[in-house]
Amino acid sequence: MFKPAKQNRIYEDVVEQIQEAILDGTLKVGEQLPAERKLIEMFGVSRGTLREALRVLQQKGMIEIKTGVAGGSIVKGISTDQMSESLALLIRYRKVSLEQLAEFREGVEGLVAALAAARASSDDCKRLQLLLDEAGAFLAEGADRWDDFIRKDEEIHLAIAEVSANQIHISVLRTIYDNIHTYYENYLAKEEPFLVENYRDLQEMVAAVIAHDSDAAQRLTRKHVRKFNQYMQKKGAV
């Protein structure tokens, strides 16, 4: 399965070989790697080098290292978890500027809305309408429910992403909306005219998705994201 590691970059070569074996299916999810002694022999490396390589693979989320009598290195399924965790930290600690986040969201969410309009089932449309009705009810109840309205707004954006049926878009946007509150708390005005305008935009966006109008869904979503990011940028500049 493996060959001796190249001596000029030993542990990186071990990482690459095991990673490739996982990605091409030679090593299956749930399968245990050969015992440490066998791996040392196969790669021709020291125990320290092998363990360093295995730690890197564990950090990447590709293996799980179990200790004890029944321990060993177990192959894990490939997921977007690590990417999401890194993005979450960037957003949560505001290492991504408001302008960068706005630029990204405008492009991606417009595309996602267009895909959702093309792919929405009748059940998807019913779900979006229900979420929109719930958001409207929170808004109508007044200031005590405005935070609930904002959360429902985020839920609508995520629901549209889920309707797009693209796992990369879903994962990235879920991470953004799970961690975007630090920007909202600092830059988003909680005032009734502002929230009413937000709700009207959501109504138009959802209506376009339900009508399967991809062009309108993309245009309205991009306009909505651009407009409210401009509001936040203006407040941030004050």
Side-chain angles (χ1 to χ4, degrees), residues 38 94 175 180 194 202:
K38 181 65 174 176
R94 288 162 53 182
T175 302
I180 203 171
F194 174 89
L202 292 175

Side-chain angles (χ1 to χ4, degrees), residues 213-232:
D213 189 338
S214 293
D215 289 341
Q218 182 170 26
R219 174 176 51 80
L220 291 166
T221 300
R222 294 191 66 178
K223 178 182 175 183
H224 167 74
V225 172
R226 185 188 312 120
K227 177 172 59 178
F228 280 87
N229 276 309
Q230 286 173 347
Y231 287 163
M232 287 194 288

Side-chain angles (χ1 to χ4, degrees), residues 47-88:
R47 178 176 294 164
T49 297
L50 176 66
R51 289 183 174 178
E52 183 177 8
L54 294 178
R55 278 195 296 270
V56 170
L57 288 163
Q58 184 178 39
Q59 289 170 353
K60 287 186 173 188
M62 303 193 79
I63 66 170
E64 178 183 2
I65 300 175
K66 295 184 177 181
T67 58
V69 177
S73 300
I74 312 298
V75 177
K76 292 181 64 178
I78 306 300
S79 73
T80 58
D81 290 348
Q82 284 67 43
M83 176 190 70
S84 296
E85 287 174 10
S86 298
L87 179 58

Side-chain angles (χ1 to χ4, degrees), residues 5 25 39 47 49 68-69 72 79 97 118 126-127 152 172 196 225 236:
L39 288 172
R47 178 176 294 164
T49 297
V69 177
S79 73
S97 71
K126 289 176 184 176
R127 179 191 176 203
K152 193 61 64 174
V172 171
V196 169
V225 172

Side-chain angles (χ1 to χ4, degrees), residues 137-180:
F138 285 141
L139 184 61
E141 289 184 40
D144 288 343
R145 304 303 300 271
W146 284 352
D147 282 338
D148 293 322
F149 169 77
I150 292 171
R151 297 297 180 271
K152 193 61 64 174
D153 169 15
E154 295 168 6
E155 195 174 341
I156 290 170
H157 280 272
L158 279 175
I160 291 173
E162 289 167 357
V163 174
S164 79
N166 184 304
Q167 189 55 50
I168 297 176
H169 289 150
I170 295 168
S171 177
V172 171
L173 290 177
R174 180 179 292 121
T175 302
I176 287 175
Y177 277 103
D178 282 348
N179 296 278
I180 203 171

Side-chain angles (χ1 to χ4, degrees), residues 32 47 96 99 103 107 111-113 145 165 167 206 219 238:
Q32 186 166 324
R47 178 176 294 164
V96 176
E99 292 78 11
E103 183 179 82
L111 173 60
V112 165
R145 304 303 300 271
Q167 189 55 50
V206 168
R219 174 176 51 80
V238 175

Side-chain angles (χ1 to χ4, degrees), residues 115-128:
L115 291 173
R119 298 170 178 173
S121 67
S122 58
D123 286 341
D124 292 329
C125 294
K126 289 176 184 176
R127 179 191 176 203
L128 289 173

